[in-house]
Amino acid sequence: MSQPCRAVIIFCKVNGIDYEEIKVHISKGQHLTPEFAEINPMKQLPAIADGRFKLFESHAILIYLACAFPGVADHWYPADVFKRSKIHSVLDWHHSNLRRGAAPYVFNTTIAPILGRPLNPQVAAEAEIILSSSLSKLESFWLKGNGRFLLGGNQPSIADLSLVCELMQLEVLDEKDRTRLLGPHKKVQQWIENTRNATSPHFDEVHRVIMLAKERQQHQRLKAAKNEGGSNMKRPLVSRM
Amino acid sequence: MKLKVYADRLSQPVRAVIIFCEVNGIEYEEIKVDLANREHLTPEFSEINPMQQLPAIVHGTFKLFESHAILIYLASSFPGVADHWYPDDVYKRSKIHSVLDWHHSNLRRGPITIVQNSILAPVFRRPLNPEAVAEGEKILSAALSKIESFWLDDNRPFLLGENQPSIADLSLVCDIMQVKLVGETDWNRLLGPYKKVQQWIENTRNATNPHFDELHKVLKELKEKLQN
């Protein structure tokens, strides 16, 4: 369910990097155990261990994998210093912008109860402002020009993978909210599709968990709506006579 | 093709970039973009950086923003930059990326929340907000605690158990220095519990002086101006 975990796993699959996936269930608090703290004292996912080398923070992990494993095509993390710098730039921007908007917005409108936490509409409202602004900046600046990917590229980089995985979290939202947020941004929608196609079939495989969560959420919303409608009908008609 | 650095020394990441240039003998032209006068919001500056933030650089036709990306670009593109700033070794380099990324979501928001809601509030035409300051202090303390217990090794002077500074030391220390604006009493209260952090700040200062002190003069001057 973690956006940056999905980016790392898709990257490994697409590039034929052999790996062992060790599940750490956030919903069960497994990331808070002393065992996991040995792997990552920040108690966050993803984290990797490659022999004795441990690493956390998904952007650092993606860069490490791109550099350390042979056979990873150059477009993922180009050797050219100018292209590489631009990738660093958008990855850094992501932290304080798209991630800072998308993650708390989705959490505080939808996901929190799954983890036994309350929804926080105020945080959600503040996060929505940051999310909308970030989507606008993606549409008008990062996706400027005729390239199919960020920074005018015609092939995906680790930046595309990281940011698109973040946006896929919006799938669990109420459809009307998702449409309201993404609807105005045609280039963003096309870019999500381009990234999905470029990393097929792994993208859909890894996002199955999100699509299942989306179905469950839709089911619950329908149920809640029916119950509301049902109870209205059950209210007795009071005679005025 | 001289490097242009769009700067306001009040900004922590700007200071990190300029100190890096000075220490490594990188020739640059500093172009002042006055944050207090909202010059970063002008259409002219938006041409340089549409995110309207500092620092930004222009090197020939190449434009770049986000200070970590800039520091990495400078370390990679200019000859004579010693390896310890951004090592070639993939393991050391990855750890530097890790702490720089951690910084974004952990340390960075602390000092900026404190100062922008207290001493710098009038400069940026915002109301004082003691609640936000308290929140900023919590964020800062949590981050300093992690630096003290994890990022700093017991016996080594710099982050990640290193004997010489990297771009990560410069970036994080410049951010913490912003807290000097709230005065020595609060600085001592906030930094007091963290002995390794205090030593590390001093180590970074010594490794990059006289440029470190020169660049941080702006904080002393601003504090005096605001108190009078």
Side-chain angles (χ1 to χ4, degrees):
Chain A
M1 279 293 288
S2 148
Q3 310 85 303
C5 283
R6 296 197 297 267
V8 169
I9 290 179
I10 293 170
F11 185 81
C12 287
K13 288 182 182 281
V14 167
N15 287 289
I17 294 171
D18 224 359
Y19 70 96
E20 182 191 350
E21 183 175 349
I22 299 168
K23 277 218 163 65
V24 179
H25 287 282
I26 296 179
S27 56
K28 297 181 183 157
Q30 286 176 354
H31 58 306
L32 303 172
T33 61
E35 291 77 26
F36 184 65
E38 287 287 307
I39 303 295
N40 180 5
M42 305 305 170
K43 305 184 192 185
Q44 289 174 322
L45 296 174
I48 63 166
D50 192 7
R52 287 195 345 243
F53 178 65
K54 294 182 222 172
L55 191 66
F56 57 87
E57 285 293 341
S58 66
H59 297 170
I61 291 172
L62 287 165
I63 292 173
Y64 169 75
L65 296 175
C67 295
F69 284 83
V72 174
D74 183 74
H75 61 81
W76 287 109
Y77 186 62
D80 173 79
V81 73
F82 299 109
K83 291 187 180 182
R84 189 176 273 205
S85 299
K86 297 280 183 166
I87 286 175
H88 292 151
S89 186
V90 67
L91 284 174
D92 284 344
W93 173 88
H94 175 34
H95 278 288
S96 324
N97 291 273
L98 183 61
R99 179 135 176 90
R100 231 180 111 209
Y105 178 74
V106 176
F107 189 82
N108 286 290
T109 51
T110 315
I111 291 185
I114 303 177
L115 300 178
R117 309 246 296 264
L119 298 172
N120 187 329
Q122 202 199 333
V123 171
E126 286 164 8
E128 185 176 341
I129 296 172
I130 300 174
L131 173 57
S132 291
S133 158
S134 302
L135 287 169
S136 292
K137 278 290 188 297
L138 277 164
E139 186 82 5
S140 65
F141 177 72
W142 295 114
L143 289 168
K144 212 163 53 168
N146 297 320
R148 290 166 53 229
F149 299 99
L150 294 171
L151 304 163
N154 274 316
Q155 286 183 298
S157 72
I158 54 177
D160 297 282
L161 204 45
S162 174
L163 276 67
V164 168
C165 282
E166 189 68 50
L167 282 176
M168 286 302 287
Q169 208 76 343
L170 301 183
E171 287 287 337
V172 304
L173 295 176
D174 197 311
E175 202 56 36
K176 67 169 178 11
D177 289 326
R178 189 171 173 275
T179 308
R180 179 170 51 80
L181 289 161
L182 280 179
H185 307 296
K186 304 293 178 224
K187 282 196 192 175
V188 169
Q189 293 176 53
Q190 184 59 59
W191 161 61
I192 294 172
E193 201 52 30
N194 294 342
T195 305
R196 181 172 169 254
N197 291 334
T199 54
S200 235
H202 313 290
F203 190 93
D204 283 346
E205 231 173 78
V206 173
H207 279 93
R208 231 186 15 221
V209 64
I210 279 289
M211 301 319 270
L212 283 171
K214 177 189 175 108
E215 267 174 45
R216 275 199 303 269
Q217 287 295 312
Q218 282 173 336
H219 191 70
Q220 276 179 7
R221 284 183 198 114
L222 272 170
K223 220 168 94 177
K226 269 200 192 121
N227 285 344
E228 229 170 89
S231 65
N232 279 340
M233 283 168 61
K234 282 189 192 128
R235 209 185 304 135
L237 290 166
V238 177
S239 168
R240 285 175 183 268
M241 291 192 51
Chain B
M1 202 176 71
K2 202 184 202 183
L3 178 72
K4 292 187 183 167
V5 180
Y6 290 80
D8 183 329
R9 293 179 177 202
L10 185 55
S11 149
Q12 313 87 297
V14 163
R15 294 195 297 268
V17 169
I18 293 184
I19 293 170
F20 185 80
C21 288
E22 292 283 348
V23 167
N24 287 290
I26 294 172
E27 253 189 68
Y28 67 98
E29 180 192 350
E30 184 177 348
I31 299 171
K32 178 98 191 259
V33 179
D34 194 47
L35 290 168
N37 283 330
R38 305 186 157 204
E39 285 177 10
H40 56 304
L41 302 175
T42 60
E44 293 77 28
F45 184 66
S46 297
E47 287 289 306
I48 302 296
N49 180 5
M51 307 305 170
Q52 303 180 319
Q53 289 174 321
L54 296 176
I57 61 165
V58 176
H59 196 202
T61 53
F62 180 64
K63 295 184 213 168
L64 191 65
F65 56 86
E66 285 293 341
S67 66
H68 298 168
I70 292 173
L71 287 165
I72 293 173
Y73 170 75
L74 296 177
S76 307
S77 309
F78 283 83
V81 173
D83 183 72
H84 62 80
W85 287 108
Y86 187 60
D88 267 335
D89 174 81
V90 73
Y91 300 107
K92 292 191 178 188
R93 190 175 272 204
S94 298
K95 296 279 183 170
I96 287 175
H97 293 150
S98 186
V99 68
L100 285 174
D101 284 345
W102 173 87
H103 175 201
H104 276 289
S105 325
N106 291 273
L107 176 62
R108 178 123 180 81
R109 276 177 50 226
I112 212 173
T113 307
I114 294 170
V115 308
Q116 281 190 353
N117 288 289
S118 58
I119 190 156
L120 286 189
V123 176
F124 291 100
R125 293 165 231 181
R126 288 159 71 128
L128 294 172
N129 188 339
E131 250 177 49
V133 172
E135 191 55 42
E137 289 194 0
K138 261 181 29 202
I139 296 172
L140 175 64
S141 292
L144 291 177
S145 186
K146 276 290 188 299
I147 296 173
E148 184 85 2
S149 64
F150 178 72
W151 294 114
L152 284 172
D153 201 286
D154 269 342
N155 299 317
R156 300 294 169 91
F158 297 102
L159 293 171
L160 304 163
E162 293 293 341
N163 281 323
Q164 287 182 296
S166 71
I167 55 177
D169 297 280
L170 203 45
S171 175
L172 274 67
V173 169
C174 283
D175 235 308
I176 297 171
M177 287 298 287
Q178 202 74 343
V179 180
K180 285 275 184 186
L181 278 173
V182 298
E184 278 310 301
T185 316
D186 285 318
W187 170 271
N188 291 334
R189 173 176 59 85
L190 291 163
L191 276 282
Y194 310 107
K195 304 292 180 227
K196 284 200 263 177
V197 168
Q198 292 176 56
Q199 184 60 58
W200 161 63
I201 292 173
E202 201 51 30
N203 296 340
T204 305
R205 181 174 168 254
N206 291 333
T208 54
N209 256 345
H211 314 289
F212 189 94
D213 283 348
E214 180 63 37
L215 266 291
H216 283 92
K217 239 172 31 189
V218 68
L219 295 179
K220 255 194 221 132
E221 288 163 4
L222 180 59
K223 198 159 118 299
E224 277 160 23
K225 192 167 142 198
L226 290 171
Q227 277 170 348
N228 295 339

